[in-house]
Amino acid sequence: MATYEGNFTPPPGRFVLVAARFNQAVVERLVEGARDGLRRHGVAEDAIDGVWVPGSFEIPLVAQRLARTGKYAAVICLGAVIKGDTDHYDYVAGGAVNGIAQAALTTGVPVILGVLTCDTLEQAINRAGAKAGNKGFDAALTAIEMVNLLRRLPE
Ligand code: INI
């Protein structure tokens, strides 16, 4: 029986971060975490592109468009949806999360979910590097692992 796994060696190809400007102070930390995660696993700085979108709801369209170009090994989506800020939290968070999944499934390119969905700003800050790790860093590692896994899977 064959077992397939992705490792964390730097894969060939480029990465792109799609980051939402809403709650920008938090998302900037996610972006830094993701860049740090990629760099520390051997991805060259000049192989990392970045795109800013207005809010997390806008991430999927741009992520799908970038994935379709064939230019990127993976697309890393970063945002922070915070319940305290909005009545339509469920719609924004659900739209972002489902849309990111759709972008991956419709393109076959790993489109990685690094969007925080939190009750409070404090939780978001903690998950963006203050206390509970950095979700951007985690998303970068997931991207590398998925790229390497897909390269190994049979066609
Ligand atoms: N976008 C976020 O990324 N995080 C939020 O917490 C948020 N809140 O609170 O509303 C948010 N809203 C904006 C949304 O993503 C879209 O930009 C907007 O609805 C226009 O489509």
Side-chain angles (χ1 to χ4, degrees):
M1 192 186 76
T3 303
Y4 300 97
E5 267 186 314
N7 62 15
F8 295 98
T9 57
R14 305 184 63 75
F15 290 79
V16 61
L17 313 179
V18 182
R21 212 173 268 119
F22 208 102
N23 295 314
Q24 187 166 4
V26 174
V27 180
E28 274 172 357
R29 293 181 185 202
L30 297 176
V31 168
E32 261 323 295
R35 287 188 177 278
D36 188 39
L38 292 172
R39 274 193 308 251
R40 283 167 60 182
H41 287 80
V43 177
E45 181 68 48
D46 64 5
I48 309 169
D49 291 336
V51 178
W52 285 95
V53 298
S56 294
F57 197 77
E58 282 70 46
I59 289 174
L61 175 64
V62 172
Q64 186 185 56
R65 162 88 180 265
L66 292 165
R68 277 202 181 126
T69 62
K71 199 175 150 190
Y72 295 105
V75 181
I76 300 172
C77 302
L78 303 169
V81 190
I82 301 174
K83 206 167 209 163
D85 288 358
T86 177
D87 293 341
H88 61 297
Y89 168 87
D90 289 333
Y91 298 106
V92 174
V97 170
N98 293 330
I100 288 166
Q102 281 294 312
L105 294 173
T106 56
T107 62
V109 173
V111 182
I112 307 301
L113 176 64
V115 176
L116 300 174
T117 51
C118 300
D119 288 333
T120 65
L121 178 61
E122 189 189 358
Q123 275 179 2
I125 291 168
N126 285 342
R127 292 175 197 171
K131 220 184 215 175
N134 185 313
K135 180 89 173 162
F137 187 97
D138 297 345
L141 265 61
T142 302
I144 292 172
E145 184 176 350
M146 283 300 293
V147 172
N148 286 327
L149 173 62
L150 291 179
R151 280 158 49 86
R152 288 178 179 182
L153 288 181
E155 286 297 330

